[in-house]
Amino acid sequence: MPQTKVDVREVKLYINGQYVDATSNRLFDVHDPSTGELIARVHEASEADVHDAVMAARRAFEESEWRTMPVKQRCALVRRMGDIMIERKEELARLEALDVGKPYRDALEHEIPRAANNMKFFADFIEQHGSEAFPVDDQFLNYTLYEPVGVAGLITPWNLPFMLTTWKLGPCLATGNTAVIKPAELTPLTVSLLGEIAKEAGIPDGVVNVVQGFGPRSAGEFMTTHPEIDLITFTGETATGKAIMKAGSDTLKRVSFEMGGKAANIVFADADLDQAVSTSIRAAFMNAGQVCLAGSRLLVQRDIYNTFVDKLVEAASRLKIGDPQDPTTNLGPLIGEEHYRKVTGYLEVAAQDGAVLAYGGRRPELPEHLQNGYYLEPTIYTHVSNQMRVCREEIFGPVVVVVPFDTEEEAIQIANDTEYGLNGMLWTSDVKRAHRVAAKIRAGTIWVNCWFVRDLRAPFGGFKKSGIGREGGKFSLEFFTEAKNVCVSLVE
Ligand code: NDP
């Protein structure tokens, strides 16, 4: 088992190729969510520090060789960052588990490899991407050039810090932009190392900058109002997306937003129940339910409702809750005290609204060293109506609600009766029904008889209040580039 204790780290800002102290002279503390222990003291960027980071990125965009470098050469450096992530994957996974409280094994086997793949995929994709030509008879030839936009602000949440940052950084760099990154203040550790990794890969100084701090009236807001940031790609809560859009409007920033979700996970009576149960358990409780794509709203056809719930409860009872660094742990703690209060507040709301607690809902019994961790048992509510608050609001914890339905039309109606539209899942053995229902659910990704399967070429993003724009493959290329039309006369 990896070590559980680390020295308290000092996390600095990474600006223009150097780790530097913040000029604010302020440090904030970061704690291990599984124990409450102090693990890092982080320099909080002042407005002047954010300005320095942005101007370093601006100079690197305008003056360094980065933007004009042959695409093959630039993509080789981006790919090298991915290789270094794999070389350092144990260290990155250990830090991610420590900072987020997620199981080390999940970080090691899934998130860090996926982060590396984010860099490698976009390096390959951009390197191989061609462009369109539009000939006009024999008289004119139009063709498209995709040019980098400029300085990108990358603002990311605490639930999958490293993976989600690289999801943005890969296409940002491969297309020739420069970056200022701000991770969530709760989880700065792995993202801070992107400076070191960029340096080791040979990325020119100033191309990658990492500032640390909070959102409002802090590093996040300083970025969204800075005139030299051209585009913002943000992942986080819907309410934050609204604030960022307002703040960025004066300087007309291009935005891409990946925000909250409340996905319906629909199980029809003709589904393979065992498969549906085991994947629904992952969809509800992976990362302690702190996943935007979580299947937190289960809709189950009434004929199989009781059987399904019995199997679900049985599977939930087999999850091992414990130390994130233990490779046998399935479920770690919630991210911190404030979030713990928010999530457990929903348990009271559920009880008041008349939902039936079928499993969990308590703090689990844990060994001595985890007594101060923010742990909650996997929790299942049944006999829930879609009008209850636990069905309408994103809880972002290990809480799943099970809503009964009778017909396909009713399932679609309930699935769409939400302000979110990030994703949806459905389980059926009827292929015609699968396509029919997939077409009718208003969400950016629909998984049929599966969950969390990602092809990085495919569009990713949300309908309704779950997002603006799409990322992935050519969708990221469009966001991170200016498409220029060149029209050449062929007339003699
Ligand atoms: P938040 O919106 O609270 O924070 C996200 C980032 O935005 C953080 O870095 C935060 O800084 C920063 N921020 C907060 N306020 C501002 C502001 N006014 N201006 C600029 N930046 C700001 O989200 P969480 O970190 O709580 O993450 C959970 C949310 O993320 C959930 O809603 C989840 O659904 C969503 N999410 C969506 C995904 C998707 O792909 N659609 C994927 C993963 C998560 P700080 O934390 O320091 O305050």
Side-chain angles (χ1 to χ4, degrees), residues 11 52 73 78 80 150 163 338 391 411:
V11 177
D52 284 353
Q73 196 182 338
V78 175
R80 177 76 192 120
M163 196 286 272
E338 192 184 325
C391 265

Side-chain angles (χ1 to χ4, degrees), residues 25 48 64 71 95 110 253 260 271 323 452 472:
N25 291 323
S64 84
V71 67
L95 283 178
H110 303 295
K253 295 194 192 322
D323 189 333
F452 222 68

